[in-house]
Amino acid sequence: MSQVPPATEPLLTERRCPLCLESIHPEARRCPHCRSWLAGNPLQSEWYRGGPESRIAGVCAGLASQFPVSPTIIRLLFVLATIFGGGIGLVLYILLWFIMPKLPDSAG
């Protein structure tokens, strides 16, 4: 009597882009091949400030969670915009501080 191997379930580590059908990372928010948004456009979703990597008001950490970028890069852009943009980075940071609601799970 021959043994039939058990059916293998698909691995959860592979995911395909719905537009270009290329294999992508399972937690990807944007396809690296066709650059299409997978979980909705971040410009159309609610932005929150705060999170585990927040420093002053959580603005940079909140922006980094919307766009798959390190919070350090966002902070650096705000500093450069403040220094070379005549203070516009600081003004924009303060505006976003008041406009963006605090993340509900954030404790600080």
Side-chain angles (χ1 to χ4, degrees):
M1 185 172 186
S2 66
Q3 280 188 326
V4 176
T8 58
E9 294 183 25
L11 295 176
L12 295 177
T13 58
E14 185 177 331
R15 181 175 164 200
R16 296 212 174 263
C17 173
L19 294 176
C20 68
L21 300 177
E22 292 287 335
S23 179
I24 57 174
H25 191 271
E27 296 177 8
R29 298 178 98 187
R30 194 168 189 182
C31 176
H33 305 286
C34 68
R35 306 297 297 161
S36 63
W37 290 101
L38 303 171
N41 190 338
L43 297 178
Q44 297 174 345
S45 63
E46 184 73 28
W47 292 5
Y48 292 102
R49 61 183 172 88
E53 296 187 26
S54 60
R55 297 282 186 244
I56 298 172
V59 172
C60 296
L63 290 175
S65 69
Q66 286 297 317
F67 303 98
V69 172
S70 168
T72 305
I73 301 290
I74 303 286
R75 290 181 189 110
L76 182 62
L77 291 175
F78 272 109
V79 168
L80 291 175
T82 301
I83 293 171
F84 297 112
I88 192 69
L90 182 62
V91 171
L92 184 61
Y93 187 89
I94 292 171
L95 279 173
L96 288 174
W97 187 346
F98 289 108
I99 292 172
M100 290 173 67
K102 190 174 178 183
L103 186 66
D105 298 333
S106 181

